[in-house]
Amino acid sequence: MLASFRQQNRDGRQLIGAGAGTGLSARSAHAGGVDFLVVYNSGRYRMAGRGSLAGFLAYGDANAIVLDMAGEVIPVAAGLPVFAGVNGTDPFRRMPTFLDEVKAAGYVGVQNFPTVGAFDGSFRANLEATGMGYDVEVAMMRAAAERDLVTAPYVFSEEEAEAMVTDGHAHIVVAHMGLTTSGSVGASVAASLEDTAAACQRILDTARRLNPDVLVLAHGGPIATSTDWKYVKEHTEGLNGFLGASSMERLPVERGIADTVAAFKAI
């Protein structure tokens, strides 16, 4: 899979991944030519009309949801690689055993989601101090790599990129730029596209310095449309592609259904 992804880049084609919160999302992304899918617990929430950040809160068992969604998404993925968003800090699971379950369910790779990396301030400090820190997610990635699962961790800083590449054996690094903007439940505040491109470049440079073969993708923040992605792509050097979640399923559904209903109503 990784060899195929790298060859695609050498052929001048970018790598595009998409979140799939429903089987229909997976089918539609496949029809559009997506390269891989990721199943997150947040996908279930966002496609139910809630904000993606619901996936970080105590509304359900994130890891149980992702295992359950395997049966909805993987059978209709038409052979596409499907990754699982794994809550690596889950204190109620023996992570090596759970990763075996993830692999048995048909997932071929993992991401760290929900992730401590999305938190900051005193709350983040307290998570780190009580055994639920980002280092636990790094260890989860390392255990996944040992089980021949492709690892595609979210990183929010150069320090996290260094940890994931060096200690987590990351195959793909995804530069997370924050909650995706736009739509009815998207973020209302985000960094500028200019600052986003600069942040992606810093993460990319750190990851490549440690492993020249690592693939680096961008995700989230103000990159809500293909036009936004085009700007970031053109203002960075070396990005391999883009991973979208809300931008690939929530926003197209919101706009598509609203426009269709409005067109019928207007007649």
Side-chain angles (χ1 to χ4, degrees), residues 166-251:
T166 303
D167 299 324
H169 309 307
H171 300 113
I172 302 170
V173 166
V174 184
H176 198 305
M177 296 293 108
L179 183 66
T180 303
T181 58
S182 303
S184 62
V185 292
S188 57
V189 178
S192 67
L193 284 172
E194 181 180 6
D195 289 344
T196 294
C200 286
Q201 189 69 60
R202 290 193 297 271
I203 288 173
L204 184 152
D205 291 343
T206 299
R208 288 275 166 71
R209 173 172 53 81
L210 298 164
N211 178 6
D213 292 327
V214 71
L215 296 167
V216 183
L217 311 180
H219 170 85
I223 315 173
T225 67
S226 58
T227 302
D228 299 330
W229 164 236
K230 185 173 186 289
Y231 177 93
V232 172
K233 178 71 171 172
E234 290 176 348
H235 289 78
T236 52
E237 181 66 37
L239 277 174
N240 300 104
F242 176 72
L243 168 61
S246 291
S247 57
M248 293 295 191
E249 57 173 0
R250 174 177 63 81
L251 291 173

Side-chain angles (χ1 to χ4, degrees), residues 41-42 45 51-62 65 87 113-114 119 123:
N41 72 319
S42 62
Y45 295 120
S52 295
L53 288 183
F56 288 88
L57 300 176
Y59 304 142
D61 181 338
I65 288 170
N87 183 3
F113 190 92
F119 295 103
F123 187 66

